[in-house]
Amino acid sequence: MIRKMLLDTGYIIENENLEKYIKIVTHPDTEGYVERHHILPVSYFRLTNIPIDNSAANIVTLSAYNHLLAHYYLYGCVSNHMLRSRLAFAFVFMQKSQQGLKLKSTEAEFLAALPAYSKIIEDNYQFHSAC
């Protein structure tokens, strides 16, 4: 059901990132610090001028780590440049707002291990800021 919802947007392609994304969002975190994550991202609704789906079917609770990881995998399966830019902007915002306070060292190490992704994020953030 989630796969179909995502693919039906026409903005998301089927690849290994989609598989990993679906695995994360179908296994919500319930203990400790959690954040609400829209399975079909808010930026998709804003881009298409469709009312944001805040229903329980589109929201999952994830740890800060899994939330960042979900955005990483979602970014990797989005084909639309504008949506990719908006997802990158959301990732940078999440990273800056957390300021490492809610991340464990292993999670911060994970983020540090993704320099190529960080470069993509920063490039898209700068592109989005210029628009």
Side-chain angles (χ1 to χ4, degrees):
M1 179 172 132
I2 289 175
R3 174 185 313 284
K4 182 174 175 7
M5 175 179 72
L6 293 165
L7 292 174
D8 283 352
T9 66
Y11 289 86
I12 296 171
I13 58 173
E14 187 137 10
N15 62 21
E16 65 184 31
N17 289 312
L18 179 61
E19 296 302 318
K20 293 174 182 177
Y21 179 72
I22 291 171
K23 184 175 181 182
I24 289 172
V25 299
T26 56
H27 294 90
D29 296 305
T30 58
E31 295 182 17
Y33 173 79
V34 294
E35 300 173 343
R36 289 172 25 117
H37 172 74
H38 286 81
I39 296 168
L40 193 54
V42 169
S43 53
Y44 163 76
F45 294 102
R46 290 184 176 148
L47 183 64
T48 58
N49 293 317
I50 298 171
I52 297 169
D53 180 359
N54 289 317
S55 70
N58 192 43
I59 295 180
V60 63
T61 56
L62 301 173
S63 67
Y65 171 70
N66 283 338
H67 196 183
L68 287 167
L69 192 59
H71 277 264
Y72 170 72
Y73 290 129
L74 183 60
Y75 179 89
C77 60
V78 169
S79 60
N80 177 277
H81 177 72
M82 189 54 105
L83 184 55
R84 285 174 64 93
S85 295
R86 290 176 183 209
L87 289 171
F89 180 79
F91 183 86
V92 170
F93 177 78
M94 287 169 47
Q95 210 175 17
K96 290 180 188 238
S97 68
Q98 291 176 3
Q99 298 175 359
L101 296 175
K102 296 175 183 131
L103 297 176
K104 299 176 183 173
S105 61
T106 56
E107 295 161 353
E109 289 168 5
F110 165 81
L111 293 174
L114 297 171
Y117 181 64
S118 296
K119 172 89 172 95
I120 291 168
I121 294 301
E122 289 301 323
D123 290 348
N124 275 291
Y125 178 70
Q126 290 168 5
F127 170 81
H128 187 75
S129 296
C131 293

